[in-house]
Amino acid sequence: MRRGMQGLALQVQEGLRRDPHGGDCFIFRGRRGDLAKILWHDGVGLSLYTKRLDRGKFIWPSASEGAIAISPAQMAYMLEGINWRNPQLTWRPTSAG
């Protein structure tokens, strides 16, 4: 997960054979499963969003090929750390320290 927006855009273009500037969201997960990066082009510029879970892992769908499509609801569950196959909150922090 050391790649920035240009490296991830290049991976989308060459590895997945998709247009990184087409308006789709491309989500990448780290090896440990607790870090996700979202690459999105809004028509004006490229954006890179990063989210790290304090506890637990992102529930990731299995892909037989390089990319799969998920619904906006599934993406929202996934980014909240909720198992989108069985929606239940996995863990919520009780204090900041």
Side-chain angles (χ1 to χ4, degrees), residues 1-2 9 11 22 24 27 40-41 47-48 53 55 70-71 93:
M1 290 303 282
R2 295 182 182 179
Q11 184 175 353
D24 293 331
I27 307 172
W40 175 58
H41 193 276
S47 298
L48 181 65
L53 294 177
R55 191 174 193 183
I70 60 173
S71 72

Side-chain angles (χ1 to χ4, degrees), residues 27-29 36-37 58-62 78 84-85:
I27 307 172
F28 302 88
R29 185 183 73 161
K37 289 186 178 181
F58 290 106
I59 306 300
W60 211 251
S62 60
M78 182 173 38
W84 53 271
R85 295 171 290 198

